[in-house]
């Protein structure tokens, strides 16, 4: 069976990467295989997870590459030489420019820890998203998986899941609940959905 080749881009702890690896092992992602993990941070624990999972990993930093443009160029090269079909941003803390996103139309997805269009866009990343939700006083938040285009958090929505906010929540507590109840379930499901479509399209071109 043809499978879509997946690259996962990470910057930190990599719990979403782990959810993807576990889902593939459990047969929940059957139309795709994770063949590459790219980190833009040398100290990301996600690199350890890739190693433990027996997945090839690379570390590319803007600094080592000599700026954003060169970084994206090297990234494109790394992805294209391996025939990557789908790029998954799983806690990847850097905004990719249009030069990169146009290269993979409807082939990059991202997980955002809020219900887009709330608490999203430039400046809303990591704990800041949950701080903003608590500050606003919303009673429900969640996570969104969406396609990535040139607008930060602006691409078409694929899946969303709501999570209740509880009295006394701190940003850290809320972040954990959103991960457990939404992100770790949603991202593997979205990955399978998109891979299924890509495999179908691949089939037509063979
Ligand atoms: C997640 O909350 C993700 O939605 C956000 O950054 C966090 C990354 O966590 N973009 P991890 O590296 O997957 O553990």
């Amino acid at each position: 069976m043809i499978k879509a080749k997946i690259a996962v881009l990470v910057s930190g702890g990599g719990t979403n990467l782990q959810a993807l690896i576990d889902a593939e092992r459990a047969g929940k992602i059957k139309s795709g295989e994770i063949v590459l993990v790219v980190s833009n941070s040398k100290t990301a624990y996600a690199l350890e997870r890739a190693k433990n999972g027996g997945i090839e990993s690379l570390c590319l930093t803007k600094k080592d590459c000599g700026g954003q443009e060169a970084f994206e160029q090297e990234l494109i090269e790394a992805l294209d030489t391996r025939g990557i079909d789908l790029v998954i941003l799983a806690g990847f803390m850097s905004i990719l420019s249009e030069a990169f996103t146009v290269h993979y139309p409807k082939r990059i997805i991202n997980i955002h820890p809020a219900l887009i269009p709330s608490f999203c866009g430039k400046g809303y990343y990591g704990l800041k998203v949950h701080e903003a939700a608590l500050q606003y006083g919303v009673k429900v938040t969640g996570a969104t998986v969406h396609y990535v285009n040139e607008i930060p958090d602006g691409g078409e929505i694929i899946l969303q899941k709501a999570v209740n906010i509880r009295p006394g929540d701190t940003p850290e507590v809320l972040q954990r609940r959103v991960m457990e109840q939404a992100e770790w379930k949603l991202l593997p499901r979205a990955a399978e959905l998109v891979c299924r479509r890509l495999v179908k399209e691949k089939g037509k071109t063979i």
Side-chain angles (χ1 to χ4, degrees), residues 183-196:
E183 294 184 48
W184 299 339
K185 295 177 183 163
L186 222 51
L187 192 56
R189 273 175 50 206
E192 173 58 19
L193 279 176
V194 178
C195 284
R196 217 180 294 162

Side-chain angles (χ1 to χ4, degrees), residues 12-17 90-91 93 111-113 126 175 179 183:
T15 61
N16 279 290
L17 166 67
M93 301 293 183
I111 178 101
H112 182 73
Q175 180 181 50
M179 282 176 157
E183 294 184 48

Side-chain angles (χ1 to χ4, degrees), residues 10-18 46 49 89-93 110-114 124-127 129-130 143-144 175 178-179 183-184 187:
V10 295
S11 301
T15 61
N16 279 290
L17 166 67
Q18 193 64 54
R49 296 182 191 271
L89 310 184
F92 183 67
M93 301 293 183
N110 178 48
I111 178 101
H112 182 73
Y124 287 99
Y125 59 87
L127 269 184
V129 179
H130 304 292
T144 304
Q175 180 181 50
V178 169
M179 282 176 157
E183 294 184 48
W184 299 339
L187 192 56

